Amino acid sequence: MEFLNNFFSTSQFIPHGHCYLWKPGLVWLHLISDVLTGLAYYSIPVMLVYFVRKRRDMPFGWIFLMFGTFIVACGTTHLMDVWTLWYPTY
């Protein structure tokens, strides 16, 4: 049980802000860029759903929706980067 506690423990990691020396300019740069990148990723699936709904005659429309799900997962990693600026939960 101790092995599992050590394996999932975050005490040995440091937040990314430490690597930026907690300089406000660098922390804000990474915060804003990750949030904007995440929002850009989230806008792509919205357009894919709109496209699939407008084009009812398109075969295999579900592939576009599956790709949109993948894109949402990619955008979520950028929002997770915002979290790891302060909390080392990788």
Side-chain angles (χ1 to χ4, degrees), residues 1 6 9 12 15-16 21 23-24 27 30-31 34-35 39 45-46 49 57-58 64 68-69 71 73 79 84-85 90:
M1 191 62 156
N6 289 335
S9 173
Q12 59 192 0
H16 283 166
L21 304 176
K23 291 184 178 181
V27 172
H30 285 273
L31 174 88
D34 279 326
V35 167
L39 289 175
V46 171
V49 168
D57 62 331
M58 184 175 45
F64 286 90
T69 304
I71 295 297
L79 297 183
T84 59
L85 274 171
Y90 299 107

Side-chain angles (χ1 to χ4, degrees), residues 16-80:
H16 283 166
H18 184 76
C19 298
Y20 307 140
L21 304 176
W22 296 111
K23 291 184 178 181
L26 282 175
V27 172
W28 277 105
L29 173 70
H30 285 273
L31 174 88
I32 291 171
S33 65
D34 279 326
V35 167
L36 290 177
T37 304
L39 289 175
Y41 267 110
Y42 285 162
S43 68
I44 295 169
V46 171
M47 295 310 297
L48 287 173
V49 168
Y50 174 78
F51 179 73
V52 168
R53 285 187 171 210
K54 284 290 187 183
R55 296 291 311 260
R56 296 272 184 199
D57 62 331
M58 184 175 45
F60 307 112
W62 60 273
I63 290 179
F64 286 90
L65 300 178
M66 294 296 288
F67 180 65
T69 304
F70 169 73
I71 295 297
V72 166
C74 293
T76 302
T77 61
H78 285 279
L79 297 183
M80 289 168 54

